[in-house]
Amino acid sequence: MKITAVTTTLLTGPSTNDRFLREARRLRSAAFIEIHTDTGLTGIGETYAGYFCPEVVPSIVDFFAPILIGQGVEDIDELWRRMMHCGAFWCRVGLGTSVLNGIEAALWDLKGKQAGLPVYALLGGAKHERLLAYATGGPANYPLARLAEKADYYLSLGFRGFKVATGSYSPEEGWYTPATPDEAANFEGAKVDFLRRHCGADVALMLDGHMGNSVGKTWTLDIAAAAMRALEPYDLFFFEEPLPYTDPWGYAELCRETTVPIAGGECLTALYEWRVFIERDAFDIGQPDASYLGGLSEFLRIAAQLQARGRGVATHAWGAAGSLMQNVHCGFAAANTRILEVPPDYAGLHHDLLAGSFVLRDGYVLPPDRPGLGIILTDELKAKYPFVPGSGEFNSVPGKMLTS
């Protein structure tokens, strides 16, 4: 089997069927890489860069494509090394690495289809019979009665845990982020106290500070520490991104100061960037994203380094169907995976491309059983979700405001 072409497909569709998430975001974009062969088999992978800056993905894919033409998939790591070497001056971390991730995932999907095996079987086999899933819920929709409806909704979908953001959001009031130690302690403490009393002790609760993509509203260590002190009585599964990624030292200090498990890493690419945090014990739980950080093999290298420090993994997966399944396969292949992030009540760019390959039962994800990653991308689906320029999500600033 030889590779004959490498192409990019950009899509735009409904962000979600979740009415609570739709209050803040209605459309989403996605970028898929397709690797075609002389056998008729096609490998499909996704880069999470397609959620933010889809327009730039095709040119980077085209840059790497000649390295793959005429090659087989016997040694994916060697093909990855060739691409990384070719982009060494601009691809060690960041956007280039993220796009390379989608290409590498498509190679694994192709190899799995050729072998008739799910990708995790090629990555060393499943280390878990099932994995706990949580509903990733975006904003904390307010007022509190609305937040209670949201919690009940996720539990009704079969989840045993969910995550909401710090602060609050309502269509009438917009976004609110606590900005002082007292504000953060009082607001987040009251929120989680309410959720714990409403949901009971058996539901896994998580908070997300979103400090990886906050501009001008990031917490300092003293604000984050005050929030953690207020949250310690409530048995959080983890607190995600309480600080910006420019402060690995603050993350490490926070991990030492609080009993609340500190999570992060969704914005980090490549083992090199991850090591800055891992070697400082800056995360109790790492959140690698197998559609963003550089590849499925890179995910497992990062997971192994976290495991060597006694740290766990909670996958990040907020791309479309490819992102979800890449993280599911890597989650099962990594021994220290503790939980999987799952978009609840997902829309067409998940549902239609998954075609039943993702199975959630009694709050747990089961190992996929289809060859490859378990996603499809037909001409009909491409026509159904045509790409809308400008549909990528970004952090709004004057002159470039996110309106959908």
Side-chain angles (χ1 to χ4, degrees):
M1 182 176 70
K2 299 297 182 184
I3 295 169
T4 57
V6 184
T7 60
T8 306
T9 296
L10 304 181
L11 303 174
T12 301
S15 179
T16 177
N17 293 322
D18 179 347
R19 64 185 184 275
F20 300 95
L21 282 168
R22 278 206 313 265
E23 288 185 357
R25 177 76 166 141
R26 293 186 176 276
L27 289 177
R28 68 180 303 131
S29 58
F32 291 89
I33 293 92
E34 295 179 89
I35 298 181
H36 308 270
T37 70
D38 57 4
T39 66
L41 290 177
T42 300
I44 306 168
E46 181 182 356
T47 170
Y48 188 42
Y51 182 68
F52 298 100
C53 49
E55 289 87 349
V56 306
V57 173
S59 60
I60 299 176
V61 173
D62 291 345
F63 176 88
F64 286 122
I67 298 172
L68 303 179
I69 302 299
Q71 302 298 315
V73 292
E74 294 79 17
D75 192 344
I76 292 174
D77 285 344
E78 174 59 24
L79 295 177
W80 184 89
R81 282 190 292 270
R82 293 177 189 178
M83 289 186 284
M84 184 63 78
H85 177 76
C86 191
F89 270 73
W90 54 275
C91 197
R92 287 189 180 94
V93 296
L95 178 62
T97 304
S98 177
V99 175
L100 195 154
N101 193 138
I103 299 171
E104 192 250 25
L107 290 169
W108 283 110
D109 181 54
L110 185 58
K111 188 168 186 173
K113 289 171 178 173
Q114 182 188 40
L117 294 170
V119 166
Y120 67 79
L122 305 177
L123 297 174
K127 306 301 190 297
H128 314 270
E129 293 183 359
R130 61 179 188 170
L131 282 167
L132 183 65
Y134 75 87
T136 182
N141 303 73
Y142 264 49
L144 286 176
R146 182 72 170 158
L147 188 60
E149 290 179 30
K150 180 172 188 157
D152 293 343
Y153 172 59
Y154 294 150
L155 298 179
S156 75
L157 294 175
F159 289 96
R160 298 186 176 196
F162 63 88
K163 179 181 74 183
V164 295
T166 51
S168 64
Y169 175 80
S170 71
E172 298 78 21
E173 302 294 330
W175 298 93
Y176 164 70
T177 301
T180 68
D182 285 346
E183 275 186 66
N186 293 334
F187 192 87
E188 303 306 334
K191 177 200 298 178
V192 176
D193 178 76
F194 172 81
L195 287 173
R196 183 55 78 200
R197 286 186 288 105
H198 181 78
C199 297
D202 295 333
V203 172
L205 297 180
M206 288 144 274
L207 282 185
D208 188 350
H210 288 296
M211 294 300 159
N213 61 7
S214 295
V215 179
K217 295 182 179 179
T218 53
W219 283 358
T220 55
L221 179 59
D222 61 332
I223 298 174
M228 299 310 143
R229 286 192 292 271
L231 294 169
E232 284 180 347
Y234 299 107
D235 190 29
L236 284 185
F237 199 95
F238 62 70
F239 192 113
E240 177 176 336
E241 291 189 333
L243 296 168
Y245 288 114
T246 51
D247 190 11
W249 310 274
Y251 268 98
E253 179 71 18
L254 193 60
C255 283
R256 290 191 293 268
E257 285 188 8
T258 182
T259 60
V260 176
I262 302 301
E266 69 177 64
C267 292
L268 301 180
T269 56
L271 179 59
Y272 164 77
E273 191 173 23
W274 269 88
R275 284 181 62 186
V276 175
F277 289 81
I278 293 172
E279 293 178 0
R280 287 174 171 80
D281 292 328
F283 303 136
D284 296 303
I285 297 177
Q287 295 177 291
D289 186 327
S291 64
Y292 184 70
L293 54 78
L296 279 58
S297 295
E298 192 79 338
F299 180 107
L300 294 179
R301 287 187 281 268
I302 290 165
Q305 290 214 359
L306 287 163
Q307 184 178 19
R309 311 282 299 194
R311 266 53 183 178
V313 162
T315 58
H316 175 265
W318 189 238
S323 174
L324 176 61
M325 294 308 292
Q326 287 159 215
N327 279 286
V328 167
H329 283 271
C330 284
F332 275 99
N336 54 330
T337 304
R338 298 182 183 173
I339 199 167
L340 299 176
E341 179 175 35
V342 176
D345 201 1
Y346 41 63
L349 294 187
H350 282 92
H351 180 272
D352 291 355
L353 279 67
L354 291 170
S357 63
F358 174 81
V359 179
L360 179 70
R361 186 175 298 157
D362 299 326
Y364 291 84
V365 178
L366 302 184
D369 59 6
R370 295 185 183 178
L373 292 170
I375 56 175
I376 61 172
L377 186 56
T378 63
D379 289 340
E380 290 76 16
L381 290 173
K382 294 175 186 178
K384 185 177 180 180
Y385 300 111
F387 178 61
V388 177
S391 58
E393 183 174 279
F394 48 82
N395 297 319
S396 295
V397 295
K400 194 170 181 66
M401 303 300 293
L402 184 65
T403 57
S404 60

